[in-house]
Amino acid sequence: TIPSCAKAPEPRGEHYFAESFDRDTLDGWVMSIAKKEDTDEDIAKYDGKWAVEEMRDSKLPGDKGLVLKSRAKHHAISAQLLRPFAFTTKPLIVQYEVNFQSGIDCGGAYVKLLTQTPDLDLAQFVDKTPYTIMFGPDKCGEDYKLHFIFRHKNPKTGEVEEKHAKKPDADLRTYYTDKKTHLYTLVLNPDNSFEVLVDQTVVNSGNLLTDMTPAPEDWDERAKVQDPDAAKDEDAPAQIADEAAVKPEGWLDDEPEYIGDPDALKPDDWDEDMDGEWEAPQVPNPKCESAPGCGEWKRPMVDNPNYKGKWKPPMIDNPNYQGVWKPRKIPNPAFFEDLQPFRMSAFNAVGLELWSMTSDIFFDNFFITDDRNTADRWATEGWALKKSAESAAEPGLATQMLSAAEERPWLWVVYVLTVALPVVLIIVFCCTGKSSKQHFCSDPWLLQPWVRLISVVGQHRRVGELLFFFFFFSKKKKQTKKKSFINTNQAVRHYITDVEHFRSAVTTQLNSSVVYQERAEQLLREQDSGGLLRTA
């Protein structure tokens, strides 16, 4: 069922935060009035605008969300949880929706789960405000990221380190460019495992104990270096004069290639004091027209057999090579063993602290819980409705095909094979050959299954389904006289390489017209394209 209007999802079960913005208000949210440190004064303020509104091209009337309205500004907004989340024996599930309505050039759409501290002031929320977890999409240029960062505190030294999850193997580009609403979910489990999902599909997973340690900046891991003592070979030009060339006979060495135009006259208003000495414009020397050339003769240039290309010093063993760096083992005064990194600092607020060069980023349906089923129900009542509405409003097959072909011109070949070729084959068959084929082509009833088959292809919404029909035509190999409909389809495939085979197959079909008629009547009784696929 395609939803016609929005219905706010209702939180059921245990949860710590739920916000759908369908009350058309920012009640409970606090916009930062702080300034960012170490930044130019004119852009230091968190003065980016926020609004609660529908998406510009909303497919679900009445559905509203939080929209980042300004570009090239700092934005910060946050809200308190119903109660603090403590990492004990239950998992953490964080999920929310993002739609890059205008695409995204450079900017983030990630959330921060703000650490519970006595001095937390949401009105002073800035980039340095302590957070426990940062999660969500971020992009600049062609660098597509999906952050999952947690902050870990050393109980001995009190220092806090940021731990970054490995980069997802999945291609994230589509989520930033398709202008659709996507659901981002983070799941942390007490056994230290984690999952990152987009649209309820896992794109990254791992264990919180996995981490990378950077090497010192001055460590030399180069096994080979350029030889600093190597001397550059004598320069040999890429081309040299052809010593075997001979000056053509009749070459006019003393004649210039161009001379002053003898028919030119000095203008009457020429002022030599102001304009200088007048010279006639240059024209080709007429004496050179019948000669092989004029002026100083020079030998033509040819490739130099001694040319060695651009010189590079040879590579030698690096005298400073120290091997692949590994930290030297010494007693660590700050050593502690934490086998439960899941037990992070409690958090009691969720916030968006963002800089973006693109405006109109749409956020919706924030949800934080410790129960996976509760989160799934929230997603079903919120994001799933958006997805259904957006899918129903997608452009038709023709528009999708043209758009796809603009990016991938080779698709035109597929289109010709899957749509145009069957039509051409029918026309050729109907317009050539014997009277029996003319009878077949002149009878609209007999042509009905072909017409319907092509129309069903045209009604399919996705290119993938269209390619199924191409597969059906090109790969169907079994041929039997009792199933003349299959014979006819088989003939379409073989017509490309054997016209007579095609005609023979159709003639066979005509000879068993009773079977064909029963088969065609069964096809015509089907009311949907899925039925046609099952029958075929």
Side-chain angles (χ1 to χ4, degrees):
T1 302
I2 299 172
S4 59
C5 59
K7 181 181 178 182
E10 296 181 6
R12 299 181 177 88
E14 188 75 11
H15 67 280
Y16 293 79
F17 187 79
E19 177 62 87
S20 66
F21 299 102
D22 290 321
R23 295 172 299 165
D24 196 14
T25 177
L26 280 175
D27 288 350
W29 290 83
V30 179
M31 284 184 277
S32 177
I33 58 174
K35 288 186 178 181
K36 191 171 184 177
E37 298 179 3
D38 305 323
T39 305
D40 293 341
E41 182 66 23
D42 55 341
I43 61 171
K45 292 183 179 179
Y46 282 89
D47 56 356
K49 304 299 181 183
W50 299 92
V52 174
E53 60 188 29
E54 294 186 23
M55 282 189 286
R56 285 198 309 259
D57 189 21
S58 177
K59 305 300 187 298
L60 202 59
D63 180 65
K64 297 185 178 181
L66 178 65
V67 180
L68 181 149
K69 298 295 294 181
S70 310
R71 62 182 303 275
K73 285 185 176 293
H74 293 289
H75 301 72
I77 191 170
S78 54
Q80 290 279 354
L81 273 58
L82 298 176
R83 60 190 179 282
F85 184 94
F87 294 86
T88 54
T89 60
K90 293 186 176 181
L92 167 68
I93 298 95
V94 181
Q95 69 182 26
Y96 68 107
E97 300 168 14
V98 177
N99 186 310
F100 295 108
Q101 300 183 83
S102 303
I104 182 72
D105 294 324
C106 186
Y110 42 80
V111 298
K112 290 183 177 181
L113 306 182
L114 304 183
T115 306
Q116 182 182 21
T117 59
D119 57 349
L120 178 61
D121 182 0
L122 299 187
Q124 297 297 317
F125 177 30
V126 293
D127 58 322
K128 294 183 180 180
T129 300
Y131 67 87
T132 300
I133 290 174
M134 183 175 118
F135 167 65
D138 187 17
K139 185 234 179 196
C140 201
E142 291 302 310
D143 190 10
Y144 300 86
K145 297 179 181 179
L146 182 51
H147 292 297
F148 165 41
I149 304 171
F150 73 92
R151 287 161 54 92
H152 190 271
K153 185 176 181 179
N154 188 316
K156 287 190 175 182
T157 65
E159 294 182 357
V160 177
E161 296 178 328
E162 288 186 354
K163 307 294 184 180
H164 294 248
K166 63 183 180 181
K167 188 174 181 179
D169 294 329
D171 185 2
L172 306 176
R173 182 186 305 266
T174 302
Y175 305 129
Y176 299 81
T177 59
D178 63 3
K179 299 183 182 180
K180 294 182 181 179
T181 304
H182 295 289
L183 179 69
Y184 294 88
T185 306
L186 171 66
V187 180
L188 298 184
N189 297 304
D191 64 357
N192 298 323
S193 63
F194 72 88
E195 288 182 329
V196 175
L197 303 91
V198 181
D199 298 344
Q200 299 183 320
T201 299
V202 176
V203 298
N204 199 5
S205 61
N207 192 288
L208 298 177
L209 290 170
T210 303
D211 192 18
M212 296 292 292
T213 302
E217 293 182 0
D218 59 351
W219 189 265
D220 194 345
E221 293 184 342
R222 298 172 301 164
K224 297 278 188 179
V225 295
Q226 292 181 345
D227 185 355
D229 299 325
K232 186 176 181 181
D233 292 343
E234 182 179 354
D235 291 337
Q239 289 192 320
I240 57 175
D242 184 2
E243 296 297 333
V246 178
K247 182 170 66 173
E249 186 177 353
W251 187 280
L252 303 178
D253 297 86
D254 299 329
E255 289 292 338
E257 190 174 355
Y258 290 91
I259 61 173
D261 186 355
D263 297 327
L265 299 175
K266 183 170 70 173
D268 294 337
D269 59 350
W270 187 271
D271 187 340
E272 293 192 356
D273 293 334
M274 297 292 294
D275 304 323
E277 184 180 356
W278 180 82
E279 294 181 357
Q282 297 289 298
V283 296
N285 189 342
K287 295 182 180 180
C288 298
E289 293 180 1
S290 59
C294 292
E296 182 185 0
W297 180 79
K298 295 181 179 178
R299 298 178 185 275
M301 302 298 288
V302 295
D303 292 336
N304 185 356
N306 297 321
Y307 178 63
K308 300 179 181 179
K310 185 177 179 180
W311 183 82
K312 294 181 181 179
M315 302 298 288
I316 61 172
D317 291 336
N318 183 0
N320 298 319
Y321 179 58
Q322 298 168 268
V324 177
W325 182 84
K326 294 181 181 179
R328 183 164 56 95
K329 303 296 184 180
I330 62 171
N332 183 1
F335 172 76
F336 74 99
E337 187 175 21
D338 183 6
L339 299 179
Q340 291 295 328
F342 170 79
R343 295 184 178 178
M344 306 173 196
S345 302
F347 63 91
N348 64 341
V350 57
L352 298 166
E353 187 270 317
L354 306 169
W355 165 273
S356 177
M357 293 302 296
T358 307
S359 60
D360 296 315
I361 302 176
F362 182 91
F363 300 87
D364 201 6
N365 292 332
F366 290 88
F367 198 69
I368 299 175
T369 181
D370 57 15
D371 182 74
R372 188 74 174 265
N373 292 329
T374 302
D376 289 343
R377 282 197 298 270
W378 176 268
T380 299
E381 295 180 5
W383 170 77
L385 293 181
K386 279 197 190 74
K387 181 182 178 183
S388 297
E390 290 175 352
S391 297
E394 287 181 357
L397 176 66
T399 303
Q400 292 186 45
M401 290 173 63
L402 290 175
S403 299
E406 288 179 0
E407 298 180 4
R408 305 173 184 86
W410 56 266
L411 283 175
W412 288 112
V413 177
V414 178
Y415 299 163
V416 170
L417 293 176
T418 54
V419 179
L421 185 59
V423 175
V424 172
L425 292 177
I426 294 174
I427 294 173
V428 171
F429 176 75
C430 292
C431 297
T432 61
K434 301 177 181 179
S435 59
S436 60
K437 289 179 288 182
Q438 293 173 353
H439 168 72
F440 170 79
C441 297
S442 63
D443 190 336
W445 187 90
L446 291 175
L447 278 176
Q448 183 65 30
W450 283 94
V451 175
R452 184 169 181 217
L453 179 61
I454 295 172
S455 68
V456 169
V457 176
Q459 292 170 2
H460 274 278
R461 300 184 58 81
R462 299 192 180 278
V463 174
E465 293 173 324
L466 182 64
L467 294 180
F468 171 83
F469 281 91
F470 171 63
F471 177 84
F472 175 77
F473 274 116
S474 62
K475 297 298 183 183
K476 200 76 173 178
K477 293 184 177 179
K478 186 176 180 180
Q479 184 172 349
T480 169
K481 293 184 179 180
K482 294 182 180 180
K483 295 184 179 180
S484 54
F485 181 77
I486 296 177
N487 284 345
T488 306
N489 290 329
Q490 181 70 10
V492 171
R493 177 181 180 269
H494 286 285
Y495 185 88
I496 300 173
T497 55
D498 191 348
V499 174
E500 292 305 322
H501 184 187
F502 174 80
R503 293 176 175 173
S504 174
V506 176
T507 302
T508 301
Q509 181 272 329
L510 290 172
N511 293 334
S512 55
S513 59
V514 175
V515 177
Y516 180 86
Q517 179 175 348
E518 294 174 352
R519 193 64 167 169
E521 288 176 344
Q522 180 181 356
L523 290 174
L524 290 174
R525 285 195 296 271
E526 297 293 343
Q527 297 300 316
D528 63 307
S529 59
L532 178 59
L533 286 176
R534 290 193 299 273
T535 304

